Amino acid sequence: MAPWLAQALPPAVVLVSTLAALVIFVAGEAHQRLRIWVNLIAATIKLLLVVWIGLAVLAGNTFMFRFELLPGLELILHADALSILFASLSAVLWLVTTVYAIAYLERSPNRARFFGFFSLCVSATMGIAMAGNLMTLFIFYELLTLTTWPLVVHNGTPEALAAGRSYLRYTLTGGVVLLVAMAWLYGLAGNVEFTPGGFLAPLVAEHRIALSVIFAMLVAGFGIKAALIPLHGWLPKAMVAPAPVSALLHAVAVVKAGAFGIIRTVEDVYGLELVAELGMRIPLIAVAAWTIIIGSLLALREHELKRRLAYSTVSQVSYIVLGIAVGGLLATSGGMVHLVHQGLMKVTLFFCAGIYGLLLGVSRIDQLDGLGRRMPWVSTAFTIAALGMIGVPPVVGFVSKWYLASGALAADVPWVVGVLIASALLNAAYFLPLIRRLWLTEGGALAEMPIEIGALSRLALVASAVATAALTVVLGMLAAHPLSPLSWVLEIASGYAPW
Amino acid sequence: MSGEVVFVLAAAAIFGLGVHGLLTAGHIMRKLLALNLMLSAVFLLLIVVPARIDGLPDPVPQALVLTGIVIAVSTTAFALALMVRLFRRQGHAAIHPDVDPRMLGHVTGRTSAGPQEEHDRGSGSR
Amino acid sequence: MNPAVLLVGLVFIPLVAALVAVILPVRFRRPVALLGALAWPLLLVPLSIAVARDQTLTLVFGGWTPPLGIGWRLDALGLVLLWVHALAGIAALPGAWHRFGPKVVAAAPFWPLWLILSTGVNAALLAADLFNLYVSLELTTLAAVALIATDDGIAALTAAMRYLLLGVLGSLMYVLGVGLVYAQTGSLAMDQADAAAIRDVALVLMLTGLMVKAAIFPLHVWLPHAYGNAPGPVAAIMSAVVGKVALVALWRIWFQTAADPPDLLADLLGLVGAVAIVYGALAAYMQPRLKMVIAWSSISQFGFLMLLLPLASQTAFQGAGFHLLAHGLAKAAMFLAAANIVTVLGSDSIRHLPGLDKRMPLEAFTLALGGVTLIGLPPSGGFTGKWMLLTAAWEQQGWFWLVLIALSGLMSAAYVFRILALTCFHPARRAVHELHARPPKITSLAALLLALLAVIIGLYPHPALELLGRGLPGGAS
Amino acid sequence: MVTLLANGLPVLAPIVVAALLARPGRIRAAAIAAAPWLPLLLFFPLLLHRPSALSFALLELRLGADPVSAPLIVLCGVAWSLAGWFAAARVRRDRVLFWSGWLISLAGIALALLAQDVAGFYAGYSALSLASWLLIIHARSEAARRAGRVYLVLALVGEMAVFAGIVAIASEAGNAVLAELVDGTCAAPGWHWLILAGFAVKMGILPLHLWLPLAHPVAPVPASAILSGVIVKAGLLGWLRLVPPGAGGSELFGPALLALGMLTAFAGVALGLAQRRVKVVLAYSTISQMGLVLAAYAALLMAPASFEALLPWLGVLILHHGLNKAALFLACGCAPGRSVLRGVLVALPALAIAAAPLTTGMLAKTGLKAMLGEAGVGYGWTLVLSLSSTATALLLWHFWRLVRQEREYRTAHPAWVAMTVAGLILPWAWAVTHGLDLHLAGALWPAAWPLALAAALIASRRLLAPKLEIDVPAGDLVVVLEKAAAGLGAATRRIAGSGHFQIPNLYPVHVRLTRALLWLERKMTSLPVAGLLILGLGGLLWLVARLADF
């Protein structure tokens, strides 16, 4: 591959959607057709680019873009297997979510603003995926905060504004914590790129405590977006945003960015061995386990559909952290692959919840009665994704759980299996009643809302939900296929696993 | 007690008086007078303090004071003009510690929401 | 030719233009002033090249050496601020041009005053001796007060008067200090050979006087009303440079004249800055008017810049200098946008802001970009400055400063996002209905470009950092 | 390709047909018409007997029939088809729901039967578990909902226990091939208990039997038939698959399991005798019989060496109980009290279950005794085994009396007859084709005396205690547990409701702060204060500077 191409592609992946955002902002509200095309074309191009890079990485090419931001502080965009994992997830789901969002917001105001920030948000996510050092990751992480906030408050209702405030409070504080941690870390270690297995080991003799504190701060900073309890408070409130935003927040961008940051911290900055040596591994596992359980319990308490889904995210995203912290080939793979799997399942759930809300005005759980018959496709998609969350094979959730649990045993933390099982039971406890209501309870006298949405849009909405649901099943059924996320992740994890 | 010290003390006293006047006087005119008093004190000090032991006058402070006088004159003139403008607009020549009255709108005894919410909800009134 | 000769132009082009403008009939003042205001920034290009090569340029007039003669010198910090001045000034011109047309009464004094302000600022930045600095600062203050008074409202006049009185008090304290310095050392030069002697009363008087001018909390009381009530372009240029000129002078005196000030004093001044950061942000968050929010934000940011004193390292200087640059650009852009908003809505009460993003998208965008810089989110100029200061704090194990610097962004975020939420995302329930004529688009674009620049310098900060990295203000290291 | 098709089709076909149900009209009708006969596809892999590996699917899926699953495949193919035939005629309400549950269960059990790897097996098993829930709640009555709830909770908990055990295997060996587990490569014994307990839920082993007596009465008749006849046996398959005789240390807990099995056998009868509804009685009978199956499994654990040899006997046991129990359940839907012929058709499988001489039950008992003999347990256990026949006979007598009262008009469906006949023949055929030593003559007396004893007991009970009526609610322990759970829930709600945690409202602070700031600003803006501040700060700086000098 030509050197200039190896340099240009990573920023290109990031900039594609920035460009789209610019066009959308400049074109303004009126040019709907242009906006749709720009959105779709940019999403497709981005997907193709990611696939291209992915195949090239598979073939052994390296991609590296460097830019000296400050003296001794570089902006590095690179593409390793882990980047590709996250990038391809974002690219695929961006395409689907764009289709969904176009249909979802067919008649609503302020679409230019919405789609502009939507694209910027994906830009930031791509930047996070491609980041080659902590600083780059941080920069895009903050950009992500900035670009998602307009989406969260998009509706402009008092609740939305309150949610936006809460979101900012949490994420900006997280950013500050990260900033301090990074200033400290850069001071100690200088400007170092992500290195599989970490690069801090030489410092441990001298700066043991400092490294521990920095690690805790980094995890806390990223943990706010990853919604580790008790840093999760913003996530359920952010539910007031339009459904595509929730889907994006929960599946692609924000919480995933946090989880991805933790992955990078643990694997590429510290290295799990060092984390264990600092005595931070078990606490990290404990935090993740605690989040998994408490998140599920909180979800059980909610009667608002999207809020329940939100708490479910809180719980599920911690699987990723759990897998990374447990370590070893199996658990690391389980955690990383959950990045993709949880994304697919959760995006489906939110798509469906959005469709129910938009077309039927359904927001509470007790309004779900009998919807299976009225919207069989959507409800089937919802059911599949929910079952996947519980971990029912052959949906992808099972694959994650399988690897996580067996990895926990292999890494000699058997109690984690108990956590996973408890979580699966709790998941069942809060998802199965929904499924029962959908299919087995007679519908109430819920009047159909006057649907102001065209047939094509309706089709797009349903199709996106069905597509992602189908993907969850297909990826689960073909988990062992050499091109599946699982195989990809196993490849990555074999480079990391210290035990 | 040498002569210098007397001058310095005098200058300090005049400066202090000026400051007092500048801060506490009600009418702007008085404030400006106090200001000029302070200027005089400064000039006095500038002339006295750098005086060399050998008794020869140092030209630099004198040049400085000359410049200072120019500035003082222009400042006073400008301040007077401003005072006149203010007098014409508000009918008297004094300045008030007027915090923006709209800020009071925040603090109507509301119990349920913060000031910002008040703005958000559109029910704010003074 | 010695490039230092060009320094003359920086001061004399606006001065001469001002004189010419005063002489000419009112309707010619505007174009003359425009020429003058556009001409002197052209000199910055060769000057930048020269400074990049020679570090500092020194010019002594007519063979008279200081202390009697007048000497000018241009260093990196001065150059940076000159650029801010130039850029903010040029960006403010369209708005001023539109607002102070020949039929407006206030236009007659406005244009000459505008040029005199430029003269004063440039001279203050070039001043190589303490007294010269006093004269320039006084000129700047007077011009600024007069410009504020062009608004002619009671609020503006009162604010101007208060600014004038307190400013003069500050200058007098400063000049007292200068006198004492001269008495102690027999020199007025800023880079004192016998720096150790500059202590106590002299130093404290100068510092206090300059702190009043720089509106460092708790000596800030003149600023919010002055900026908040000044005409838009005036507020822009004032927030961009006028306060900062005094701050730069303070830095120079600190590092240059009083080369080895006690650490305790530095810590105290840093602490004052810390309180300013918090207090300013808090007050900004509670303001009911957009311009007041922006003005209070300046108080917070000036406090931030005070942190250079306790940190006092090359990295910290780079950070603070860069923050000066980014903040100047962003703040000017925000004031210009606010000016347009006032023009169109007839008010800048934040209650009238909802729906702004549809009526005035460029202004909303400008506010957003400027806000991002103020918060110091990456990648913006504000972030670069913040990061350098953080690094400096780390290098000295100054944990308190480190945490403070990190938290300052959070506090800025509170007021910035409050404004953004109101402007862009609030349902337009209470928005005003009658809109005034929109100022020409170029005014909006100028503000936007300035805000964009504030962000872009964060992506390519090397030239500025390179310049600032050569030594503390005035060449001390 | 053919192999793959033959192995994969029994799993895929039901899913495809289930998907077709979504289209109303002719397609749905065709799907329902085809559905009953899909289980027959299972015979392809059985006959082919050649496994195939799908390295891309799931976690490297392997499919194929083997001797362990063979009897279950036969049972499933026959019983599920006949019950399906019955269901096609009888189930009228909510057909889509019923048939999707039916077909997904079928796909699940097919996968569980054919999978040769751990993950595949688990996938099939859990699909089966969840989908059979749909069959249980089909009636949508309050009782059905309750039964569904209890079933689901138990099934999920059981499944999670299995999952824990499975990942213990996976952590050692990845997605292990089942056949390799026999060599003892599986996880530590602690995990075995979890696996055993998890599958025991499906089997209805005491005390995890709670769902059976609730579920069977509410499920449609054909669904009960397969639940009781086939699906419960999936638990046995799980045991055999994941804790095969010979797996590390498994022989240690043979005796305990044997005792538990026998206890379940008698307890099932005792609880069943106290029931008043036909299908509940049958459910308890199933529990009791599963206790015997557990005993058989325990015996195999204790004699791992002769596992291969005893496997056909296990097949007889499975086929015997599965078909006969299915026949009895189908009988419940055919008004057996209406004619003598129908009475005979009910009596035949009932006698078989009670292990009357010359029935398949006798054959099964012979097999059990053979197993116990191989296991080397004492004669006492054989006696207990015989006594269990007496107990079963008592229970089935109870059943007979109840079922004869069912005479509301219903046509007898040919599927019932076919099932009964299959129950009579297939176990014999299995025994013969596998060349088992039947000991017919020697088995007659051991089979006869327990029955005689039972008859004597029945007769004497009429004499001794005619009034004795014990009433145990269906599901026994469930009632207690439900009450406890309700109490706990109420208590939690009380606690949670009283001191509801609330974040303090920050507004007053906010207002106070604003007021304070306002006041401060007003003060500071006035010139005297401002000046004082200037002077004060200057003074402070001076003081500090002086201090620093010293």
Side-chain angles (χ1 to χ4, degrees):
Chain A
M1 179 157 297
W4 68 269
L5 212 54
Q7 244 182 35
L9 275 182
V13 170
V14 177
L15 290 178
V16 165
S17 22
T18 318
L19 212 63
L22 278 183
V23 174
I24 291 168
F25 276 132
V26 171
E29 192 64 33
H31 297 79
Q32 185 179 0
R33 201 171 280 270
L34 172 73
R35 186 165 59 236
I36 291 177
W37 282 113
V38 166
N39 265 323
L40 292 178
I41 291 172
T44 315
I45 290 176
K46 167 161 287 185
L47 185 59
L48 292 176
L49 282 178
V50 170
V51 169
W52 184 13
I53 295 180
L55 293 177
V57 166
L58 206 61
N61 285 303
T62 49
F63 291 86
M64 181 67 84
F65 168 80
R66 284 165 184 282
F67 174 74
E68 197 180 41
L69 205 56
L70 287 173
L73 195 64
E74 280 180 310
L75 186 88
I76 301 179
L77 292 172
H78 74 163
D80 62 1
L82 191 55
S83 309
I84 297 300
L85 182 76
F86 192 32
S88 52
L89 170 77
S90 315
V92 170
L93 291 189
W94 187 39
L95 184 58
V96 184
T97 313
T98 304
V99 172
Y100 181 87
I102 289 170
Y104 189 90
L105 299 167
E106 196 190 16
R107 301 276 157 82
S108 70
N110 297 325
R111 272 166 301 167
R113 185 180 78 195
F114 180 88
F115 282 105
F117 281 113
F118 201 74
S119 302
L120 283 182
C121 174
V122 176
S123 254
T125 312
M126 282 295 163
I128 290 172
M130 297 283 181
N133 61 4
L134 209 51
M135 177 50 84
T136 315
L137 184 61
F138 170 75
I139 288 175
F140 284 105
Y141 189 80
E142 291 286 74
L143 272 180
L144 185 65
T145 304
L146 208 59
T147 50
T148 39
W149 175 73
L151 299 177
V152 172
V153 294
H154 179 74
N155 284 340
T157 55
E159 298 85 53
L161 289 173
R165 271 200 296 280
S166 165
Y167 176 62
L168 283 180
R169 248 174 242 155
Y170 275 92
T171 49
L172 288 179
T173 312
V176 166
V177 173
L178 277 184
L179 188 63
V180 172
M182 273 199 327
W184 200 348
L185 194 62
Y186 269 77
L188 285 181
N191 176 32
V192 187
E193 300 163 27
F194 289 145
T195 319
F199 51 77
L200 294 176
L203 296 173
V204 74
E206 207 177 335
H207 301 288
R208 194 179 190 82
I209 296 183
L211 286 181
S212 304
V213 174
I214 293 173
F215 182 78
M217 287 173 82
L218 286 174
V219 167
F222 287 122
I224 281 181
K225 278 219 173 87
L228 292 179
I229 291 177
L231 309 174
H232 67 290
W234 60 274
L235 189 60
K237 287 188 200 147
M239 283 306 87
V240 294
V245 176
S246 307
L248 198 75
L249 243 60
H250 285 253
V252 193
V254 178
V255 291
K256 285 300 164 54
F260 189 75
I262 293 180
I263 295 181
R264 284 292 195 197
T265 306
V266 172
E267 301 288 12
D268 286 339
V269 176
Y270 276 74
L272 193 58
E273 266 174 341
L274 181 58
V275 172
E277 198 190 322
L278 291 172
M280 303 302 269
R281 175 171 163 254
I282 297 297
L284 189 59
I285 299 177
V287 166
W290 149 267
T291 305
I292 289 173
I293 299 291
I294 301 295
S296 298
L297 285 175
L298 291 173
L300 206 53
R301 222 179 48 173
E302 293 296 338
H303 298 290
E304 197 86 6
L305 180 57
K306 282 174 84 182
R307 284 180 68 88
R308 185 172 281 198
L309 294 182
Y311 278 113
S312 146
T313 304
V314 171
S315 166
Q316 292 277 336
V317 167
S318 282
Y319 279 38
I320 303 168
V321 181
L322 187 78
I324 299 304
V326 167
L329 178 67
L330 295 175
T332 310
S333 314
M336 285 182 183
V337 83
H338 203 57
L339 200 75
V340 175
H341 289 169
Q342 190 267 356
L344 286 172
M345 295 187 288
K346 199 35 80 64
V347 94
T348 311
L349 289 174
F350 271 108
F351 281 172
C352 296
I355 295 173
Y356 291 143
L358 184 71
L359 298 186
L360 302 174
V362 169
S363 65
R364 284 201 323 278
I365 283 165
D366 56 8
Q367 294 170 321
L368 289 177
D369 291 353
L371 291 191
R373 211 157 289 184
R374 283 168 74 171
M375 294 189 162
W377 286 100
V378 179
S379 303
T380 307
F382 188 91
T383 307
I384 288 174
L387 289 176
M389 284 288 177
I390 301 170
V392 175
V395 190
V396 283
F398 164 69
V399 179
S400 311
K401 259 179 209 180
W402 172 277
Y403 274 88
L404 279 173
S406 55
L409 286 177
D412 229 9
V413 271
W415 56 272
V416 166
V417 178
V419 171
L420 291 174
I421 285 174
S423 151
L425 288 176
L426 286 168
N427 277 332
Y430 62 78
F431 273 128
L432 287 182
L434 308 192
I435 298 175
R436 186 179 56 93
R437 280 184 187 277
L438 282 178
W439 298 104
L440 302 175
T441 316
E442 294 300 334
L446 191 71
E448 187 127 351
M449 299 245 292
I451 296 175
E452 293 181 15
I453 186 167
L456 189 64
S457 300
R458 208 183 161 122
L459 181 69
L461 289 177
V462 176
S464 359
V466 171
T468 47
L471 215 51
T472 60
V473 178
V474 170
L475 287 187
M477 295 222 274
L478 301 182
H481 194 274
L483 283 180
S484 74
L486 179 68
S487 312
W488 189 260
V489 155
L490 282 169
E491 194 62 36
I492 301 173
S494 62
Y496 283 128
W499 51 74
Chain B
M1 186 187 257
S2 72
E4 274 178 30
V5 176
V6 176
F7 281 118
V8 169
L9 284 179
I14 298 173
F15 194 84
L17 281 175
V19 169
H20 181 259
L22 178 75
L23 297 179
T24 56
H27 200 282
I28 295 176
M29 192 64 169
R30 285 166 180 271
K31 284 184 190 292
L32 294 181
L33 287 176
L35 190 72
N36 275 285
L37 210 56
M38 285 160 67
L39 281 163
S40 309
V42 170
F43 298 151
L44 184 58
L45 210 68
L46 275 183
I47 295 288
V48 170
V49 173
R52 302 269 171 81
I53 307 297
D54 53 18
L56 286 176
D58 186 347
V60 172
Q62 300 195 358
L64 297 186
V65 167
L66 209 58
T67 320
I69 289 172
V70 173
I71 292 176
V73 169
S74 52
T75 307
T76 312
F78 174 68
L80 285 171
L82 194 57
M83 185 191 80
V84 172
R85 283 270 293 283
L86 194 62
F87 176 75
R88 284 198 186 131
R89 291 297 305 232
Q90 83 180 357
H92 57 96
I95 51 177
H96 302 293
D98 54 346
V99 175
D100 199 313
R102 268 167 291 192
M103 203 156 160
L104 289 163
H106 289 310
V107 205
T108 47
R110 213 162 281 278
T111 51
S112 61
Q116 189 164 353
E117 276 80 2
E118 183 208 316
H119 281 283
D120 298 343
R121 289 196 189 136
S123 60
S125 57
R126 245 163 283 164
Chain C
M1 190 183 74
N2 183 2
V5 176
L6 294 175
L7 296 181
V8 179
L10 289 182
V11 176
F12 280 91
I13 289 177
L15 185 63
V16 170
L19 295 178
V20 171
V22 169
I23 296 164
L24 289 176
V26 171
R27 63 199 157 96
F28 295 123
R29 288 183 183 179
R30 191 166 66 153
V32 167
L34 184 70
L35 279 179
L38 286 176
W40 70 261
L42 292 178
L43 296 177
L44 285 180
V45 177
L47 281 175
S48 304
I49 296 167
V51 169
R53 204 180 47 225
D54 299 340
Q55 302 205 18
T56 49
L57 301 176
T58 321
L59 183 69
V60 178
F61 280 93
W64 288 82
T65 50
L68 213 52
I70 294 175
W72 282 345
R73 45 180 286 154
L74 180 63
D75 60 1
L77 186 60
L79 188 68
V80 165
L81 212 57
L82 278 174
W83 272 109
V84 176
H85 183 196
L87 291 171
I90 292 172
L93 278 178
W97 179 272
H98 175 70
R99 177 159 174 169
F100 295 98
K103 297 200 178 93
V104 183
V105 181
F110 176 84
W111 291 105
L113 282 171
W114 180 262
L115 292 165
I116 290 174
L117 184 73
S118 297
T119 312
V121 168
N122 287 356
L125 289 173
L126 295 177
D129 67 89
L130 295 169
F131 195 78
N132 206 348
L133 180 66
Y134 161 71
V135 177
S136 321
L137 280 177
E138 207 56 9
L139 189 61
T140 311
T141 308
L142 283 183
V145 170
L147 280 171
I148 293 168
T150 52
D151 183 80
D152 210 30
I154 292 179
L157 289 176
T158 311
M161 195 53 153
R162 190 183 291 118
Y163 181 22
L164 178 68
L165 293 176
L166 289 176
V168 169
L169 178 58
S171 337
L172 287 181
M173 290 179 84
Y174 170 76
V175 86
L176 266 181
V178 172
L180 292 179
V181 169
Y182 186 76
Q184 281 172 354
T185 65
S187 161
L188 285 171
M190 271 194 174
D191 40 355
Q192 293 275 343
D194 190 14
I198 310 301
R199 269 290 164 91
D200 302 352
V201 184
L203 180 63
V204 163
L205 279 173
M206 287 196 290
L207 285 183
T208 316
L210 288 174
M211 277 166 78
V212 174
K213 295 228 169 200
I216 306 298
F217 176 90
L219 315 182
H220 65 284
V221 291
W222 59 269
L223 184 140
H225 298 282
Y227 286 14
N229 293 308
V234 177
I237 199 76
M238 282 186 64
S239 64
V241 281
V242 172
K244 294 200 181 75
V245 167
L247 197 71
V248 165
L250 192 150
W251 285 354
R252 284 193 173 140
I253 287 171
W254 183 263
F255 288 109
Q256 214 173 326
T257 314
D260 187 24
D263 286 345
L264 201 58
L265 198 59
D267 286 341
L268 180 69
L269 287 171
L271 217 56
V272 167
V275 179
I277 294 174
V278 177
Y279 187 84
L282 207 61
Y285 181 70
M286 293 169 176
Q287 293 304 314
R289 280 175 49 207
L290 179 60
K291 278 170 80 177
M292 291 297 264
V293 173
I294 307 173
W296 273 104
S297 144
S298 286
I299 289 170
S300 178
Q301 302 284 336
F302 285 161
F304 190 73
L305 292 171
M306 287 297 278
L307 298 185
L308 173 62
L309 303 189
L311 292 176
S313 69
Q314 192 61 55
T315 323
F317 176 59
Q318 281 176 306
F322 201 83
H323 194 81
L324 208 70
L325 171 65
H327 172 253
L329 297 178
K331 198 46 79 61
M334 289 176 87
F335 265 119
L336 289 177
N340 274 356
I341 290 169
V342 176
T343 312
V344 173
L345 301 184
S347 145
D348 65 341
S349 165
I350 58 168
R351 295 184 186 190
H352 296 151
L353 291 183
L356 193 78
D357 62 325
K358 283 198 211 69
R359 291 208 192 87
M360 313 179 74
L362 292 179
E363 275 74 12
F365 197 41
T366 307
L367 287 179
L369 283 180
V372 166
T373 304
L374 291 189
I375 302 170
L377 287 177
S380 67
F383 174 73
T384 310
K386 196 162 81 173
W387 176 259
M388 301 295 283
L389 277 172
L390 273 179
T391 315
W394 187 86
E395 280 165 1
Q396 302 173 26
Q397 316 288 312
W399 304 117
F400 174 74
W401 306 125
L402 191 117
V403 172
L404 183 77
I405 292 164
L407 283 178
S408 70
L410 208 56
M411 284 180 272
S412 316
Y415 59 81
V416 167
F417 279 105
R418 170 169 177 248
I419 294 297
L420 292 186
L422 277 166
T423 11
C424 305
F425 299 101
H426 203 277
R429 264 182 268 138
R430 217 177 357 183
V432 283
H433 295 296
E434 80 278 27
L435 296 180
H436 303 276
R438 185 175 292 273
K441 200 159 195 175
I442 188 170
T443 57
S444 315
L445 285 177
L448 181 59
L449 279 178
L450 212 52
L452 268 177
L453 202 60
V455 172
I456 288 170
I457 53 168
L459 284 174
Y460 194 63
H462 305 283
L465 288 179
E466 170 78 8
L467 276 177
L468 292 167
R470 292 200 188 139
L472 288 172
S477 55
Chain D
M1 191 63 214
V2 178
T3 325
L4 190 65
L5 206 63
N7 284 331
L9 210 54
V11 184
L12 279 183
I15 295 173
V16 172
V17 175
L20 292 179
L21 289 172
R23 305 284 305 173
R26 297 240 303 277
I27 294 181
R28 180 181 291 170
I32 292 177
W37 311 111
L38 294 178
L40 295 176
L41 291 173
L42 275 168
F43 286 111
F44 283 121
L46 186 64
L47 296 175
L48 199 66
H49 220 290
R50 206 187 307 150
S52 51
L54 290 81
S55 59
F56 56 88
L58 217 55
L59 304 171
E60 301 192 7
L61 185 65
R62 290 154 196 273
L63 289 175
D66 66 354
V68 177
S69 59
L72 265 166
I73 289 178
V74 172
L75 172 65
C76 186
V78 174
W80 207 300
S81 299
L82 290 175
W85 185 16
F86 188 93
R90 286 294 175 81
V91 176
R92 294 271 164 241
R93 285 184 57 231
D94 280 334
R95 282 150 63 103
V96 175
L97 175 68
F98 177 83
W99 285 106
S100 37
W102 182 272
L103 288 166
I104 298 170
S105 307
L106 178 60
I109 200 166
L111 183 56
L113 287 171
L114 296 178
Q116 294 295 318
D117 64 313
V118 175
F121 173 77
Y122 176 74
Y125 181 78
S126 56
L128 173 67
S129 289
L130 280 177
S132 28
W133 177 61
L134 293 177
L135 298 176
I136 292 169
I137 56 160
H138 178 255
R140 305 214 199 165
S141 58
E142 189 42 50
R145 244 177 243 137
R146 174 170 169 240
R149 202 161 50 229
V150 173
Y151 169 76
L152 204 55
V153 169
L154 278 172
L156 284 173
V157 170
E159 211 173 299
M160 285 304 126
V162 170
F163 179 72
I166 280 183
V167 295
I169 295 170
S171 71
E172 299 280 329
N175 181 21
V177 177
L178 290 167
E180 290 167 4
L181 296 181
V182 187
D183 311 332
T185 51
C186 69
W191 299 102
H192 287 163
W193 281 112
L194 280 176
I195 298 179
L196 291 173
F199 286 119
V201 169
K202 183 90 15 179
M203 300 274 287
I205 302 300
L206 214 69
L208 305 170
H209 64 288
L210 306 177
W211 66 275
L212 273 165
L214 295 179
H216 284 88
V218 293
V221 165
S224 308
I226 54 160
L227 272 173
S228 213
V230 187
I231 293 178
V232 288
K233 310 281 188 310
L236 175 64
L237 185 66
W239 286 343
L240 291 172
R241 289 289 197 210
L242 297 181
V243 193
S250 58
E251 60 275 9
L252 293 178
F253 30 84
L257 290 182
L258 182 60
L260 182 64
M262 286 303 177
L263 178 68
T264 306
F266 284 98
V269 169
L271 291 166
L273 280 174
Q275 301 301 326
R276 294 285 165 271
R277 281 185 298 160
V278 185
K279 282 166 89 182
V280 181
V281 174
L282 279 184
Y284 276 108
S285 158
T286 300
I287 293 168
S288 156
Q289 295 293 309
M290 286 304 111
L292 294 182
V293 172
L294 173 58
Y297 170 71
L300 289 178
L301 282 186
M302 287 188 277
S306 36
F307 176 48
E308 300 275 319
L310 291 174
L311 206 51
W313 278 121
L314 198 62
V316 170
L317 192 61
I318 290 168
L319 282 171
H320 147 71
H321 176 259
L323 292 169
N324 284 316
K325 190 51 68 68
L328 286 179
F329 267 107
L330 289 188
C332 296
C334 292
R338 283 192 65 83
S339 72
V340 180
L341 182 61
R342 292 189 195 184
V344 172
L345 275 176
V346 178
L348 280 173
L351 281 170
I353 300 269
L358 290 179
T359 60
T360 54
M362 184 190 79
L363 195 59
K365 281 273 154 59
T366 313
L368 263 171
K369 279 172 191 157
M371 290 183 208
L372 287 178
E374 286 289 336
V377 294
Y379 181 72
W381 283 115
T382 319
L383 187 65
V384 172
L385 190 64
S386 300
L387 283 177
S388 80
S389 296
T390 311
T392 308
L394 288 176
L395 188 60
L396 286 171
W397 171 252
H398 184 51
F399 163 75
W400 167 258
R401 284 201 310 161
L402 290 173
V403 86
R404 287 295 287 174
Q405 291 159 16
E406 300 254 329
R407 29 185 91 199
E408 62 211 273
Y409 180 69
R410 277 196 206 128
T411 46
H413 192 272
W416 173 38
V417 185
M419 190 78 87
T420 313
V421 173
L424 285 175
I425 297 169
L426 272 178
W428 286 106
W430 181 267
V432 171
T433 50
H434 285 77
L436 293 172
D437 186 5
L438 300 182
H439 298 296
L440 272 183
L444 278 176
W445 169 242
W449 71 258
L451 242 60
L453 181 62
L457 278 175
I458 291 162
S460 57
R461 179 181 172 265
R462 282 195 170 166
L463 286 174
L464 294 174
K467 299 277 182 218
L468 187 64
E469 293 280 330
I470 313 161
D471 210 5
V472 176
D476 49 89
L477 268 178
V478 162
V479 182
V480 183
L481 290 178
E482 277 176 338
K483 272 192 186 136
L488 198 70
T492 325
R493 269 192 296 281
R494 257 203 313 281
I495 295 165
S498 62
H500 205 65
F501 180 71
Q502 274 194 336
I503 297 164
N505 187 358
L506 283 176
Y507 177 64
V509 180
H510 202 137
V511 169
R512 245 170 265 154
L513 206 62
T514 315
R515 282 214 177 109
L517 195 91
L518 195 71
W519 177 84
L520 203 64
E521 242 348 85
R522 260 184 98 81
K523 288 282 168 222
M524 279 166 63
T525 325
S526 79
L527 276 182
V529 178
L532 271 180
L533 278 172
I534 296 174
L535 299 180
L537 187 71
L540 183 68
L541 290 179
W542 177 76
L543 259 178
V544 169
R546 296 297 319 192
L547 274 178
D549 276 348
F550 292 120

